[in-house]
Amino acid sequence: MNVIDFPNRIVIELTPLCNLSCSMCPRHYISENSGFITEELWRKLVDEIASVNPQAVVLPFWRGEPLLHPDFFKLMEYAFQQSIRIHISTNGLLVSGKYAEVLSRCEFVSFSIHTPLGLTRARQFQSLVNGMSPSPTVAISFVDGEKSTNRYLEEIVASPDLGGFKSVRLYEKHTVEGVFGKIGRTVHAKRTFCPKLENSFVVAFDGSVSRCNHIWLTEKRLDLNQLTIREAWHSDIMQEIREFYPDQHCRSCDQWIGRTIGTEWRNIDGVIQTEAVGPIELKREKHETKYSGCI
């Protein structure tokens, strides 16, 4: 175990509300499906990150669609003013006009493709930022077995430039049978200590905390409206979770390598490389292949 002093990847959920209802989504297994982070809490968290670890990556999304927050523009502008590194994911349905302009100021933008409109918006956004300096890295992702995956993935990864995207990710279906983090395939490796507990932190919209972005349950005893990120990170509750890892929540989760299990295609200097993320076999292998096992 090598827990860093302050997390370098911090999820801050803007809202668990979503404008889609995908059949495989873990949202079907949680009771919190509405609500918005307050501006006060957002500013408090951003200020601490900017002061303590300005190189930390902030991911302003988790269980819902972040662009649905009624003060999305105001929250993002405050983060940009503090020079916060923003990596964001969206289903793309709202990404046009001012939303696209705001996302173009982020460091990394990922489109989770579930609909034809989402893919169209992703392509339009990629065209918008192409040639900008600086410009965000733009990626798209699919979930294995979903209709949008079967319809679009093969064509995109077979193209010589991945359709213009920097990377394309195919995630394994997860939260199988309602078990958070469980995938539908056998993981061929001995479990090691999950790096998420060493370097990543998750804050829900109401200020409660989760140990990991794959475990969609929150610890209500930790309230970031009252505590600092550092205090919660080094709290007895988090220390206990680490000490007794894997406990009942972590034991059934297959995402303990620290990255979401699946397959990734990356455009590296014009060469498309395929990488298995996690101890699984490659799927839909195309072009030059680079296997690196556990990441």
Side-chain angles (χ1 to χ4, degrees), residues 203-266:
V203 183
F205 74 99
D206 60 358
S208 58
V209 168
S210 176
R211 66 184 68 191
C212 168
N213 61 297
H214 294 292
I215 307 298
W216 285 25
L217 302 172
T218 61
E219 177 53 70
K220 300 298 184 182
R221 292 176 295 171
L222 293 175
D223 183 2
L224 270 293
N225 290 286
Q226 307 298 326
L227 300 171
T228 65
I229 294 173
R230 185 190 291 277
E231 288 170 340
W233 180 246
H234 291 287
S235 66
D236 290 343
I237 293 172
M238 288 300 299
Q239 297 287 57
E240 182 177 317
I241 289 172
R242 298 182 184 111
E243 180 180 353
F244 291 100
Y245 174 87
D247 63 8
Q248 60 177 335
H249 296 300
C250 292
R251 191 173 299 115
S252 299
C253 177
D254 293 318
Q255 309 286 351
W256 45 265
I257 64 167
R259 291 175 61 191
T260 303
I261 291 177
T263 303
E264 181 176 12
W265 293 262
R266 291 182 293 174

Side-chain angles (χ1 to χ4, degrees), residues 62-133:
W62 185 25
R63 301 171 295 184
E65 171 54 47
L67 277 60
L68 291 174
H69 195 293
D71 292 322
F72 178 76
F73 302 130
K74 183 187 296 185
L75 300 183
M76 290 299 100
E77 184 59 37
Y78 187 76
F80 294 143
Q81 290 173 358
Q82 307 305 312
S83 299
I84 295 294
R85 299 174 61 196
I86 298 290
H87 290 200
I88 194 167
S89 181
T90 173
N91 60 36
L93 298 188
L94 297 176
V95 181
S96 63
K98 190 173 181 180
Y99 286 106
E101 293 176 13
V102 170
L103 294 190
S104 71
R105 299 170 66 188
C106 298
E107 184 175 283
F108 179 90
V109 180
S110 180
F111 287 79
S112 184
I113 306 301
H114 306 289
T115 64
L117 178 58
L119 181 57
T120 297
R121 297 295 198 201
R123 286 169 166 160
Q124 291 171 340
F125 182 76
Q126 177 59 67
S127 297
L128 172 70
V129 302
N130 187 34
M132 284 187 176
S133 182

